[in-house]
Amino acid sequence: MGALMRAKARRRPPAFVPDGPMELARPVFFVGFMGAGKTSVARRIARTCGVASVDMDTYIERREGKKVKEIFAQSGEEGFRAIETQVLRELGAKPDPLLISCGGGVVVTPANREVFKEAGFVVYLEVTADEAAGRISDTSTRPLFQNLEAARARCEERLPLYEAVADVRVSTAGKSVPAIAREVQRILEKEGILCPQQR
């Protein structure tokens, strides 16, 4: 290989686009604090690999016919968490496994932690409350992120729960969505969870 070709090879971005459509061997749950990029990363992988992704909060809003903040206002956090558990079980049991981006507080419910253990593979996207605050343009849509101090305390409180359910941890600090998506995609392929489509 000549010097010019070597230079071109070095400049080429890492290959991560699969040869053909992929499929998931089991559901993949994305967990982490608000603003970690769970939905954006799941969508990016879904587009690249030809698999399906779903955002749990959006799914809940469609299913219930109201916004998450309205459910919180009418039923409290407890009412919302009960719906969240039903939806988590529902999505985890779909015949065609999905990339599922979960709400930031999904780990607080013991029943949900059981679903993670039984049903799929959990990717924990790490983010601090301060980084998250910089990423969330409209905190009014986040019922539990109205105050940075409270958000820091909540993030700290949930940290051991995220770590306990995680099959893999990926830091998001200073990384773009495409870079995080490539990293997660490589992990899923290596673990045999994201594979070339058989049918």
Side-chain angles (χ1 to χ4, degrees):
M1 189 190 280
L4 182 64
M5 284 185 75
R6 272 201 299 275
K8 278 185 177 166
R10 274 200 301 275
R11 278 201 302 269
R12 199 176 296 137
F16 67 97
V17 177
D19 294 331
M22 309 281 279
E23 64 183 5
L24 292 163
R26 53 193 168 125
V28 177
F29 300 100
F30 288 84
V31 303
F33 200 59
M34 295 169 265
K38 302 179 293 282
T39 301
S40 303
V41 169
R43 280 187 186 144
R44 178 86 186 195
I45 297 170
R47 277 200 307 272
T48 305
C49 301
V51 294
S53 74
V54 62
D55 175 85
M56 259 184 78
D57 283 353
T58 305
Y59 187 91
I60 288 170
E61 288 181 343
R62 287 190 185 137
R63 183 180 184 261
E64 300 300 309
K66 54 185 90 159
K67 297 282 180 198
V68 166
K69 63 179 179 182
E70 291 168 344
I71 302 171
F72 264 82
Q74 290 164 14
S75 313
E77 186 172 354
E78 201 177 314
F80 174 77
R81 296 293 172 214
I83 296 167
E84 189 177 54
T85 299
Q86 291 167 11
V87 166
L88 192 67
R89 288 189 175 127
E90 205 175 292
L91 295 174
K94 296 264 184 202
D96 289 324
L98 301 161
L99 298 171
I100 302 160
S101 44
C102 302
V106 70
V107 290
V108 301
T109 311
N112 294 350
R113 301 200 292 272
E114 284 305 308
V115 175
F116 290 144
K117 204 181 292 178
E118 292 161 15
F121 186 84
V122 181
V123 176
Y124 166 32
L125 297 184
E126 298 173 312
V127 69
T128 65
D130 292 79
E131 280 176 303
R135 295 176 188 180
I136 297 169
S137 52
D138 178 13
T139 56
S140 72
T141 61
R142 316 284 182 140
L144 300 178
F145 205 148
Q146 302 306 308
N147 168 297
L148 186 55
E149 272 309 308
R152 282 185 188 128
R154 198 175 288 275
C155 190
E156 198 60 37
E157 186 185 294
R158 289 176 182 170
L159 191 63
L161 298 175
Y162 292 136
E163 290 174 345
V165 298
D167 289 298
V168 68
R169 293 160 58 170
V170 175
S171 169
T172 66
K175 294 177 190 168
S176 66
V177 166
I180 301 163
R182 279 198 294 274
E183 193 175 331
V184 174
Q185 184 184 325
R186 281 195 290 265
I187 291 164
L188 296 178
E189 287 178 8
K190 189 169 163 248
E191 294 286 339
I193 288 158
L194 189 58
C195 339
Q197 214 172 78
Q198 300 301 309
R199 52 183 185 271

